[in-house]
Amino acid sequence: MIIDGKKVAADIRNKIKSQLGHFPNTKITLATVIVGNNPAGQLYVGMKHREANAAGIHSKHIDLDENISQRDLEEQISLLADDDDVHGILVQLPLPKHLNKERMLSKIPSYKDVDGLTDVNMGRLLQGHKQLVPCTPLGVIRLIEAYNIETSGRNAVVVGRSSLVGLPQMLLLSEKGADATVTLAHSRTNDLAEVCKNADILVAAVGVPAIIKADFVKPGAMVFDVGVSRVDDKIQGDVDCDAVSKIAGGITPMPGGTGPMTVACLLENTILAATLQDVLPRSH
Ligand code: GUN
């Protein structure tokens, strides 16, 4: 079975569009920021704007110079934080090396943090009262829901421990309601194949092209490929898709799997952010 992220993402976008149709006089705006020349980032952010606009969410973009100082970057973020016409703030990562991500993130108010990356939103997720959570792992959860994949009591293995994907994915799969037994594997894990083979649900988010081979996968497992690499000018995920799809019960294609879901969940988070700011009613 192909787990069709494009389709589920379109469903989410259309649902948001029809929700927003009830509030024609409410303008919701997502602001994105890119620091420096980051071609992949430009591509992703372009997609985020197109999808936002298609859903009826307004957007604005700010390009900042590669050599901007930490202080000027934080000042720019603070302007967006104080702007009542901006409801969501997304700073595309990674930042140039001379900049401190944590200090930048600390300038984003938690209720505008549509990436769910601030200490407050990460802490909320950890403590069991999540609000805005990172878009990519949320997208995997939305796929699991859309395809009615059972998680309770099942073994999930998450490969990769980033704060953008692996760590929040571990928490979202193990929280009450999802109830999976989660193993967090990473680059120092011994015998990764053996660990992965235990997974009913496998989320690969390391960014190593085709690291997940057919012999890593339990027959019938649900496989979510999050890693994106470029190999010989082609997009390659963390999963050796051709081989693994013969063994897995379901698999996300690359592209067209988890990527569109990240963008759809960004829209979902922007709506939630607007709700937290009482721009949309809480019941919606
Ligand atoms: N860079 C790669 N993925 C992401 C993401 O989900 N959010 C941000 N801000 N930067 C990214």
Side-chain angles (χ1 to χ4, degrees):
M1 175 180 70
I2 297 292
I3 300 174
D4 188 349
K6 241 165 129 169
K7 180 182 176 300
V8 179
D11 291 346
I12 291 173
R13 184 193 61 215
N14 291 335
K15 191 169 152 216
I16 289 172
K17 189 176 179 182
S18 85
Q19 269 178 14
L20 287 178
H22 294 111
F23 305 97
N25 299 321
T26 304
K27 184 178 166 190
I28 294 169
T29 302
L30 168 68
T32 59
V33 177
I34 294 187
V35 184
N37 179 29
N38 173 351
Q42 304 275 3
L43 196 78
Y44 290 134
V45 167
M47 237 145 42
K48 291 168 185 178
H49 282 262
R50 270 198 303 281
E51 287 294 311
N53 299 340
I57 295 170
H58 296 254
S59 60
K60 66 187 259 179
H61 178 69
I62 296 174
D63 269 316
L64 297 175
D65 189 86
E66 175 92 40
N67 298 313
I68 191 169
S69 67
Q70 181 76 30
R71 177 203 279 238
D72 288 350
L73 171 62
E74 289 177 24
E75 203 173 290
Q76 290 290 327
I77 303 301
S78 297
L79 287 175
L80 295 172
D82 294 340
D83 184 343
D84 288 340
D85 294 329
V86 167
H87 307 100
I89 303 171
L90 179 142
V91 181
Q92 189 66 18
L93 302 172
L95 295 174
K97 286 206 169 33
H98 69 282
L99 295 169
N100 181 304
K101 179 181 78 171
E102 285 71 32
R103 275 167 50 208
M104 177 281 288
L105 285 172
S106 74
K107 299 296 172 196
I108 302 178
S110 64
Y111 49 83
K112 294 191 181 186
D113 172 27
V114 288
D115 250 339
L117 293 176
T118 57
D119 291 347
V120 169
N121 280 319
M122 282 288 179
R124 283 199 172 113
L125 175 59
L126 187 66
Q127 302 261 37
H129 51 102
K130 68 183 177 194
Q131 234 164 32
L132 290 158
V133 303
C135 305
T136 302
L138 180 60
V140 171
I141 297 294
R142 291 287 178 262
L143 285 175
I144 286 172
E145 290 166 352
Y147 281 84
N148 284 315
I149 295 166
E150 181 64 78
T151 50
S152 181
R154 318 267 320 262
N155 291 331
V157 174
V158 177
V159 189
R161 55 183 155 180
S162 69
S163 55
L164 213 50
V165 188
L167 287 173
Q169 190 74 78
M170 167 185 78
L171 294 166
L172 289 170
L173 284 165
S174 58
E175 72 180 4
K176 278 203 190 315
D179 300 315
T181 304
V182 185
T183 302
L184 185 64
H186 48 74
S187 54
R188 296 282 181 272
T189 295
N190 281 336
D191 204 348
L192 183 61
E194 201 53 38
V195 171
C196 290
K197 201 128 197 180
N198 200 29
D200 302 305
I201 294 151
L202 180 59
V203 181
V206 264
V208 177
I211 185 177
I212 306 295
K213 310 280 186 209
D215 64 337
F216 286 41
V217 176
K218 180 172 169 175
M222 296 294 161
V223 179
F224 298 87
D225 190 358
V226 171
V228 182
S229 308
R230 199 167 280 272
V231 179
D232 300 332
D233 254 17
K234 284 212 337 238
I235 299 289
Q236 171 66 55
D238 284 358
V239 178
D240 181 358
C241 192
D242 286 346
V244 168
S245 60
K246 295 190 176 80
I247 312 239
I251 187 167
T252 57
M254 177 72 68
T258 57
M261 291 303 295
T262 295
V263 182
C265 287
L266 173 64
L267 307 183
E268 196 185 304
N269 276 351
T270 306
I271 297 300
L272 175 56
T275 307
L276 295 172
Q277 288 157 76
D278 289 321
V279 174
L280 288 172
R282 299 223 170 207
S283 60
H284 254 270

